[in-house]
Amino acid sequence: IPKIGDIPLKSITASMLDRFYAELRYKGRLVKQDIYGEGLSMATIRNIYFHCKAALDRAVKDRLILSNPADACTPIPKRSAEVEVLSPEEMQRLMIQAKEEGFFEMFMLDIGTGLRRGELLGLQWNDINFETGEVKITRQINMVGKVPTVSTLKTKSSNRTIILQKPLLDMLREYKETVNSRWLFPSPVFEDKPRDPTACRKKLSQILEHAGCKHVKFHALRHTYATMALAYGMDVKTLSATLGHASVSETLDTYSHTTDEMQRNAAAKIDKAFGNAEETDLEEEEKEEKKSYPRPDFEPYKGKKRRSGTGYVKQLSKNCWQGRYTPTINGKRISKNVYGKTEEECKAKLEELIAEMNREREEGTLRLEMSM
């Protein structure tokens, strides 16, 4: 709509559509540019391409135009984004830091099952059979506006049952004793509500930074599980069912880099069986595969304590910092926020905010607003 919505149907040309698709790649994102950048992914642009083509096909069918200009457009290639995964050392640092900040069970369960973020947050205790280890995936949590909302899964293959390993079951049994909710991961703010998916994404970014790991999306935990599962011998068909993919081809397309490595290893072992490979090379490869990763020499970040009356500053995204000051006035806590592109800018704005609020408090002009 913002780009081509006001152009009459008869005036739309293939070159106009091609230019439109090209612009989307570099400056097509309308929201959350500070987090994801200005351009859209190839997958999103392909969806837009097919929607435009379908709409113009309907226009031809309704005899509003003689031919579909989208037929002459350059097809948008199906190009999967590079799969981001955490290294074994990064995973260990992440889990040490997550334990410090109260997110150990959530991240461990995701890395151990490959669930999507919405599926993970949609889990309830009655979905888990602690006797058999079965977990039924039947719902997901999406953000509708600013409210976490329960919804059904999008595809038939997403409704599935997975089996938890014994260490995960033991972890969940112990964790359950600390949770007073039907949800595995309840909201810390609202009663009988699941956690906010956006807040979990932001928390992962913060924990990754504290652990000294590279910044990855929440979905990278799912990719990490899938890559490890293939590397340790899980067949693609089983992995596809566990991940809830519509077909095995989707799994193969997404994790082609891992399956290529599996094929090379298989070829080397076949070559060894026929006596054509160097024994020493294969022995070294097998040693590398079986190598264990010791606990890293890493002390978790414990946060900085600010003096009372000085507020606090935290990072929300790569280019956004938030400062908050919450004094108590006449027995009521009030909060105000400031934002900056850097930590230094945010701290300077926070100092100005605190000085202004303290001055208004002395003058008796500070408005009482309940903290959120």
Side-chain angles (χ1 to χ4, degrees):
I1 290 175
K3 298 291 185 181
I4 61 174
D6 58 349
I7 301 172
L9 275 174
K10 294 181 180 179
S11 301
I12 295 177
T13 64
S15 60
M16 187 181 296
L17 291 173
D18 280 336
R19 187 164 57 251
F20 166 57
Y21 301 139
E23 288 178 357
L24 293 177
R25 187 74 181 95
Y26 301 101
K27 51 182 180 180
R29 189 175 299 281
L30 301 180
V31 296
K32 298 183 180 179
Q33 293 182 356
D34 57 328
I35 299 173
Y36 300 112
E38 296 184 356
L40 294 173
S41 68
M42 293 301 292
T44 302
I45 297 172
R46 271 176 64 84
N47 284 337
I48 294 172
Y49 166 83
F50 286 121
H51 276 81
C52 284
K53 191 174 185 306
L56 293 168
D57 277 338
R58 182 55 188 261
V60 174
K61 183 177 179 180
D62 292 346
R63 299 186 179 181
L64 298 175
I65 52 178
L66 294 176
S67 62
N68 187 344
D71 290 339
C73 288
T74 304
I76 307 297
K78 185 177 182 180
R79 187 184 307 160
S80 300
E82 183 178 350
V83 174
E84 293 181 302
V85 298
L86 296 172
S87 68
E89 184 186 356
E90 285 176 321
M91 279 193 292
Q92 291 189 45
R93 292 207 308 270
L94 169 66
M95 298 318 301
I96 293 171
Q97 186 64 45
K99 195 162 191 176
E100 176 68 28
E101 302 193 32
F103 277 74
F104 177 81
E105 289 82 8
M106 179 186 291
F107 294 164
M108 178 60 77
L109 183 59
D110 205 29
I111 288 179
T113 60
L115 294 177
R116 300 176 179 92
R117 179 179 55 174
E119 296 170 344
L120 180 73
L121 298 179
L123 287 175
Q124 297 181 357
W125 289 111
N126 59 12
D127 295 325
I128 303 175
N129 185 328
F130 282 96
E131 297 299 321
T132 63
E134 293 181 335
V135 180
K136 293 181 179 179
I137 314 300
T138 59
R139 72 186 74 80
Q140 62 182 343
I141 306 300
N142 292 319
M143 293 300 292
V144 178
K146 295 184 178 180
V147 180
T149 305
V150 180
S151 63
T152 57
L153 299 173
K154 290 184 178 179
T155 63
K156 183 179 178 181
S157 57
S158 294
N159 282 276
R160 62 198 189 277
T161 298
I162 62 175
I163 306 296
L164 293 184
Q165 306 97 312
K166 187 178 182 300
L168 287 179
L169 280 174
D170 293 341
M171 176 195 76
L172 290 178
R173 281 195 187 94
E174 184 177 345
Y175 169 64
K176 188 178 181 181
E177 298 299 320
T178 68
V179 179
N180 184 25
S181 172
R182 60 179 173 143
W183 303 96
L184 262 72
F185 306 108
S187 168
V189 179
F190 302 105
E191 186 178 354
D192 197 34
K193 294 286 185 182
R195 273 191 179 269
D196 181 335
T198 303
C200 292
R201 171 183 59 78
K202 291 177 179 178
K203 190 62 182 179
L204 173 63
S205 297
Q206 187 181 67
I207 291 175
L208 286 168
E209 181 181 354
H210 291 166
C213 301
K214 62 176 176 285
H215 178 77
V216 295
K217 298 177 182 178
F218 203 102
H219 209 66
L221 302 183
R222 174 175 165 89
H223 289 321
T224 300
Y225 162 77
T227 302
M228 288 193 304
L230 288 171
Y232 283 100
M234 181 181 288
D235 65 275
V236 179
K237 177 66 176 175
T238 302
L239 177 63
S240 181
T242 302
L243 294 175
H245 283 168
S247 65
V248 173
S249 61
E250 182 182 351
T251 310
L252 290 170
D253 287 342
T254 306
Y255 302 104
S256 58
H257 64 294
T258 305
T259 51
D260 286 347
E261 183 65 27
M262 291 169 64
Q263 290 175 5
R264 282 194 290 271
N265 290 339
K269 289 175 181 177
I270 291 172
D271 210 25
K272 178 183 177 182
F274 283 98
N276 297 325
E278 291 291 335
E279 294 287 336
T280 54
D281 292 343
L282 287 173
E283 288 172 2
E284 289 298 321
E285 288 180 11
E286 289 173 359
K287 286 180 183 178
E288 182 66 23
E289 286 179 6
K290 295 178 181 178
K291 182 175 66 174
S292 61
Y293 294 91
R295 178 186 172 94
D297 184 16
F298 170 70
E299 289 297 324
Y301 171 80
K302 298 184 182 296
K304 298 177 181 177
K305 303 237 181 229
R306 293 177 66 92
R307 289 180 291 106
S308 176
T310 62
Y312 74 84
V313 173
K314 69 175 181 178
Q315 188 173 15
L316 299 181
S317 66
K318 185 177 180 181
N319 298 313
C320 183
W321 291 75
Q322 179 194 65
R324 171 173 284 201
Y325 182 49
T326 310
T328 301
I329 309 295
N330 297 330
K332 293 184 177 181
R333 289 169 58 82
I334 64 172
S335 293
K336 286 192 177 181
N337 300 329
V338 292
Y339 299 90
K341 293 184 178 179
T342 63
E343 184 177 10
E344 292 72 22
E345 179 186 351
C346 192
K347 285 181 178 178
K349 288 184 176 181
L350 181 61
E351 290 178 3
E352 293 176 4
L353 173 68
I354 292 173
E356 180 183 351
M357 291 181 71
N358 288 338
R359 185 172 61 253
E360 289 179 354
R361 179 166 51 180
E362 292 174 1
E363 296 172 353
T365 59
L366 186 62
R367 291 189 300 118
L368 292 180
E369 298 175 354
M370 293 301 293
S371 61
M372 299 299 290

